[in-house]
Amino acid sequence: MNTPVVTRFAPSPTGFLHIGGARTALFNWLFARANGGKFLLRIEDTDRARSTPEATEAIFNGLKWLGLDWDDEAVSQAARMDRHAEVAHQMLENGSAYKCFATQEEIAAFRDAAKAAGTSTVYRSPWRDATDLPDAPYVVRLKAPREGEIVVEDAVQGRVAWKSETLDDLILLRSDGTPTYMLAVVVDDHDMGVTHVIRGDDHLTNAARQVLILDAMGWPRPVYAHIPLIHGEDGAKFSKRHGAPGVEDYRDMGYPAEAMRNYLARLSWSHGDDEFFTTAQAIEWFGLDAISKGAARFDFKKLDNLSGQHIRAMDDADLTQLLTDYMALQQMPVPGPEIRESLTQAMPALKERAKKLPDLIEMGHYLLTSRPLEMDAKAASQIDDVSRGMLERLTERLRNVTWTHTDLEATIKAFAGEEELKLGKVMQPMRSALTGRSTSPSIFDVLVHLGREESLARIDDVLAAG
RNA sequence: GCGCCCUUCGUCUAGUGGUCUAGGACGUCGCCCUUUCACGGCGAAAACACGGGUUCGAGUCCCGUAGGGCGUACCA
């Protein structure tokens, strides 16, 4: 039996949950669930100036919406500062770290000079092996190896190596005694028992330095998996410019979370030719070995298509629930039980032509409004004296027909034949009268959904207005 | 500047030395279905960044070049 898998997602609470972060969280979650392990959440709030409780809340909400439930309590990194400092002092004692008394000004001056001279900007502290220490503020630095290479075996990137001389002695504790990110991550991951570190490949270089801390403490290394970043549709880094950098934007646009998980999972990960799959399937199939190394671009067209497929695959009652939840979230009037019931009944017709939740609202508009209907401009253009006359003659027939899809269809088609009208000439004015829109599900469906009384009343309204 | 990573159709990707005249999906175009829109069906155009090797044989391995990304903080 192997050690149980423990993964984690460790965002900084400095804003919303970024789409890239969401994908990282998803991969961690998928991997944990696929292996019967734990998925932990740690808020990296040590940058007090930039961290806010609102942002933490936004991250929680984003993850919840996506359905990425985490195990145990979320850990606050800031709350663990003492523990981080403790480890730094252990390292001081075991000789893998040292006190450096160089001031920030000195170091900055060194770097400026090195840059100007075109030489290495890696700072070499003169205090590394000093024995005569002054009584002054100091920083704790890692005593990193200066020869050989540092090798990280990455589950995605493969073997990655750095020459030791290209890395400096990173700072563990600042001169005010607070821990740096580099130290905190390593200590927290170790203490939390994290076995697999799955994160963006912007951290790949950090792995080299973090591994050194691990080695210094004699702690085992986790499996690293540095996954590629997500780019915007133009290939540049995903940002506000691309319209929707946060997961809540996607929620607001009306993409079902299931579709979002499906789409996000397909960015830099694949399972053969499978494009459309459920979350359960993703869990079953997910593995680190199928993650590719190249960055992926975000493509709304494909997301839309996938989203439409998920909507069509969903259970009608569930979909109605999802839709009304969405309407509530968007501060729209929420339909009552009766309308909800008719929405569910009509759902097979509505969802045929929807990609996102708002499409369902637009398609089901005729069920959500009540008489007298307000027509939009396109719908109104279908109504004139000629079409009114036609509608009037048709209505006479409709009063006596059995109110079923087949009979309605037969009657209306026969009527169109007798009047020598193309079917569209009959249907579009009817659509205007019944739905107030120029697009809707099939008119026969609409008629059935609305029922005889309501349908005829809506048409009569239009006739009366003439 | 230095370090590291990446590079198959417009986009997401399959591909782990021969079965690749490179497969799928989205998108695009055409046809069909059709009361609009959509869905669905059929079909088409569309890619191994470039240059050297290694090998009987390279999309697959190696080295360069170009392009892109990330990092290079007493930020995370």
Side-chain angles (χ1 to χ4, degrees):
Chain A
M1 198 59 199
N2 294 324
T3 346
V5 164
V6 179
T7 65
R8 50 85 326 173
F9 177 52
S12 319
T14 52
F16 42 74
L17 176 56
H18 189 90
I19 197 74
R23 203 271 313 256
T24 300
L26 176 66
F27 278 18
N28 275 285
W29 181 83
L30 244 21
F31 189 72
R33 296 291 171 256
N35 293 283
K38 278 188 169 189
F39 169 62
L40 271 23
L41 180 60
R42 182 175 69 234
I43 303 298
E44 310 223 312
D45 48 0
T46 50
D47 187 343
R48 260 87 50 101
R50 289 195 299 159
S51 300
T52 65
E54 291 75 25
T56 302
E57 203 53 35
I59 288 166
F60 287 164
N61 288 337
L63 289 174
K64 281 181 197 159
W65 174 69
L66 263 181
L68 306 184
D69 53 315
W70 57 95
D71 299 300
D72 305 344
E73 287 292 302
V75 172
S76 158
Q77 187 161 66
R80 295 176 38 81
M81 281 174 54
D82 291 349
R83 166 63 178 155
H84 303 148
E86 181 192 350
V87 170
H89 285 104
Q90 281 176 37
M91 291 173 70
L92 230 31
E93 273 164 42
N94 74 18
S96 57
Y98 63 93
K99 296 176 181 177
C100 171
F101 296 86
T103 64
Q104 293 188 57
E105 291 71 32
E106 283 178 64
I107 298 167
F110 160 80
R111 269 200 270 266
D112 289 345
K115 228 170 221 174
T119 56
S120 170
T121 55
V122 174
Y123 180 68
R124 295 297 179 207
S125 171
W127 301 97
R128 181 186 234 241
D129 297 305
T131 48
D132 192 15
L133 305 181
D135 182 23
Y138 61 88
V139 110
V140 176
R141 283 183 188 272
L142 174 81
K143 196 178 271 185
R146 293 206 168 158
E147 283 171 7
E149 41 173 41
I150 300 154
V151 177
V152 172
E153 292 291 345
D154 191 280
V156 172
Q157 307 291 339
R159 180 184 187 274
V160 187
W162 294 262
K163 287 192 176 63
S164 295
E165 67 241 38
T166 62
L167 264 33
D168 63 3
D169 290 344
L170 66 281
I171 293 175
L172 269 11
L173 242 38
R174 302 186 184 95
S175 47
D176 64 0
T178 59
T180 59
Y181 161 80
M182 216 59 80
L183 206 220
V185 180
V186 172
V187 174
D188 289 345
D189 282 345
H190 171 263
D191 290 359
M192 291 164 77
V194 173
T195 59
H196 296 254
V197 173
I198 304 169
R199 68 216 318 189
D201 68 11
D202 49 337
H203 286 283
L204 186 54
T205 322
N206 291 339
R209 332 181 79 174
Q210 290 165 187
V211 127
L212 257 21
I213 300 176
L214 248 15
D215 292 353
M217 286 302 292
W219 289 342
R221 297 181 180 190
V223 172
Y224 286 103
H226 287 94
I227 63 180
L229 272 13
I230 298 176
H231 290 166
E233 290 184 299
D234 59 359
K237 191 175 174 180
F238 211 117
S239 69
K240 282 208 171 72
R241 233 159 16 85
H242 299 98
V247 285
E248 71 269 30
D249 296 322
Y250 295 83
R251 180 197 61 199
D252 291 346
M253 283 185 275
Y255 292 104
E258 172 94 356
M260 209 59 205
R261 287 191 292 271
N262 185 168
Y263 180 69
L264 251 22
R266 282 289 290 106
L267 259 24
S268 295
W269 176 77
S270 62
H271 181 263
D273 285 337
D274 294 304
E275 300 285 351
F276 172 74
F277 44 78
T278 63
T279 302
Q281 285 173 305
I283 290 172
E284 191 185 327
W285 296 334
F286 192 79
L288 265 22
D289 51 343
I291 299 175
S292 59
K293 299 179 178 184
R297 295 189 190 198
F298 197 94
D299 182 8
F300 277 96
K301 293 272 184 50
K302 187 145 184 179
L303 205 211
D304 282 351
N305 176 275
L306 232 29
S307 179
Q309 290 191 58
H310 275 99
I311 284 177
R312 266 171 268 133
M314 255 180 250
D315 172 80
D316 296 330
D318 293 349
L319 198 46
T320 300
Q321 186 60 50
L322 196 63
L323 183 62
T324 47
D325 289 349
Y326 174 76
M327 292 170 88
L329 189 72
Q330 298 305 311
Q331 326 252 318
M332 304 170 75
V334 178
E338 253 178 67
I339 291 182
R340 263 191 262 201
E341 182 51 34
S342 51
L343 236 22
T344 302
Q345 294 305 318
M347 205 48 91
L350 303 183
K351 71 184 183 183
E352 269 321 300
R353 43 212 90 199
K355 288 180 161 38
K356 294 179 276 191
L357 266 12
D359 299 341
L360 248 23
I361 296 174
E362 181 57 26
M363 274 301 146
H365 177 254
Y366 67 101
L367 293 171
L368 297 166
T369 45
S370 51
R371 301 173 45 216
L373 265 52
E374 278 186 35
M375 285 189 210
D376 65 22
K378 274 188 178 175
S381 72
Q382 293 292 328
I383 303 297
D384 55 21
D385 288 344
V386 177
S387 57
R388 275 203 184 87
M390 182 275 294
L391 246 21
E392 192 160 14
R393 290 191 296 282
L394 175 60
T395 311
E396 288 313 310
R397 308 262 189 114
L398 258 23
R399 291 192 200 284
N400 302 310
V401 76
T402 326
W403 212 258
T404 63
H405 190 290
T406 35
D407 282 15
L408 285 164
E409 181 169 354
T411 304
I412 291 170
K413 282 188 172 164
F415 173 79
E418 287 167 31
E419 297 255 330
E420 296 188 349
L421 288 172
K422 288 183 69 176
L423 212 43
K425 285 288 178 193
V426 179
M427 305 295 245
Q428 284 303 347
M430 282 189 83
R431 172 167 281 120
S432 297
L434 294 168
T435 72
R437 295 290 148 97
S438 55
T439 51
S440 78
S442 154
I443 281 304
F444 309 121
D445 286 333
V446 170
L447 248 11
V448 172
H449 298 156
L450 252 22
R452 184 198 305 266
E453 199 183 330
E454 176 70 17
S455 297
L456 293 177
R458 288 190 183 188
I459 296 174
D460 284 343
D461 285 345
V462 170
L463 297 179

